[in-house]
Amino acid sequence: MRAAFPTAVTVEIAASDRKPAVTKSAARKTTLATVDLPLLFIEIHDSEIPWLKIFVRRSVREFSECTAVEKTAIWDALDVIEREMLDYYRPEKINIASFGNMLPQVHWHIMARFKEDSYFPEPMWGPRQREGVLALPPMEPFLENLRRKLLPES
Amino acid sequence: MRAAFPTAVTVEIAASDRKPAVTKSAARKTTLATVDLPLLFIEIHDSEIPWLKIFVRRSVREFSECTAVEKTAIWDALDVIEREMLDYYRPEKINIASFGNMLPQVHWHIMARFKEDSYFPEPMWGPRQREGVLALPPMEPFLENLRRKLLPES
């Protein structure tokens, strides 16, 4: 259901008047910014599955080099995103990862996985298992819920 | 340097008198328990690289279903292990992941990655890049440091 993950349309749901860091990079497969937080920004990873990436704004290589406040912000974001993914998409499992071998800037992947996706039960970086066939609901209501949870002041 | 990761010898460094959950499973590639904590236990994943796994003791499928205390215990363990890996092994990058697609019990992987390992810069689940050639120091002093940090009462 690639239609659920538009590759050329900016979904602007940041509540603040700061501009989110929109980075369209083929190498990073990142198409648009989704949620703009004080210490973090969250982007959609272009994929057949619901897949978000949480970036720390400050230049920092390893997770343990983050400040306590940054760490808490990351865990809170992962927790909220996971709950919203489980509630909205009803996936088989949530996957979380932070590598940064190619891009040594702290960022976390969070993915909703389905038995019918192209890689399950392998990680999304593993060997392809099949031609994934997913019928997912549109992403916009999920993103709206996410914004409400992550930006409670809005 | 497979010698750094013995596959048949139990490294018992738990400070408590509770028995750690030693699980030798070819499928999970887990050979021995290393650190036995109240809410978690930590195992070595048999690999060419330093690779630990943090398991939540309580039966729980998704990270967001963990209690606040369990979550904090996981983050603290990841933070301590990462710092010790960086300090002791001087890797190129730390990688962290939680999948559980095959074993739906909350567990986290933490890995020290090197430019010369068999998969860098791909994740350890990705396509093999080369025959890894690593000259790593023995694991025991690293585990001893880890125990001191994770079991400060010992």
Side-chain angles (χ1 to χ4, degrees), chain A residues 137-152:
Chain A
M139 200 176 204
E140 284 69 20
F142 163 74
L143 292 173
E144 279 297 318
N145 287 335
L146 203 57
R147 181 176 75 96
R148 274 194 290 272
K149 298 290 171 65
L150 290 172
L151 300 164

Side-chain angles (χ1 to χ4, degrees), chain A residues 48-109:
Chain A
E48 69 180 332
I49 60 164
W51 182 337
L52 297 184
K53 291 182 291 197
I54 304 170
F55 285 85
V56 177
R57 288 193 181 280
R58 194 168 60 88
S59 177
V60 58
R61 183 179 181 89
E62 299 285 5
F63 171 67
S64 61
E65 297 164 9
C66 291
T67 66
V69 180
E70 285 168 337
K71 286 175 188 166
T72 301
I74 294 167
W75 304 140
D76 287 351
L78 284 171
D79 194 63
V80 168
I81 293 168
E82 179 174 304
R83 288 172 193 271
E84 291 301 313
M85 280 182 168
L86 288 168
D87 185 58
Y88 188 74
Y89 291 106
R90 306 284 172 185
E92 182 68 17
K93 190 71 186 63
I94 298 293
N95 287 183
I96 299 174
S98 181
F99 300 127
N101 301 330
M102 298 184 196
L103 176 70
Q105 163 68 27
V106 173
H107 65 284
W108 287 76
H109 302 266

Side-chain angles (χ1 to χ4, degrees), chain B residues 84 88 140-150:
Chain B
E84 291 302 313
Y88 187 73
E140 283 69 19
F142 162 74
L143 293 172
E144 279 298 319
N145 286 336
L146 202 58
R147 181 175 74 96
R148 273 194 290 271
K149 299 290 171 65
L150 291 171

Side-chain angles (χ1 to χ4, degrees), chain B residues 38-58:
Chain B
L39 301 175
L40 315 172
F41 61 93
I42 300 171
E43 293 182 344
I44 298 170
H45 187 86
D46 186 24
S47 170
E48 69 179 332
I49 60 164
W51 182 336
L52 297 184
K53 291 182 290 196
I54 305 169
F55 285 85
V56 177
R57 287 193 183 280
R58 194 167 59 88

Side-chain angles (χ1 to χ4, degrees), chain B residues 24 29 48 53 58 81 92 94 105-107 109 131-132 134 136 146 148:
Chain B
K24 180 161 176 53
K29 295 181 68 177
E48 69 179 332
K53 291 182 290 196
R58 194 167 59 88
I81 294 169
E92 182 67 19
I94 298 294
Q105 163 67 26
V106 173
H107 64 285
H109 303 267
E131 182 66 34
L134 297 178
L136 298 178
L146 202 58
R148 273 194 290 271

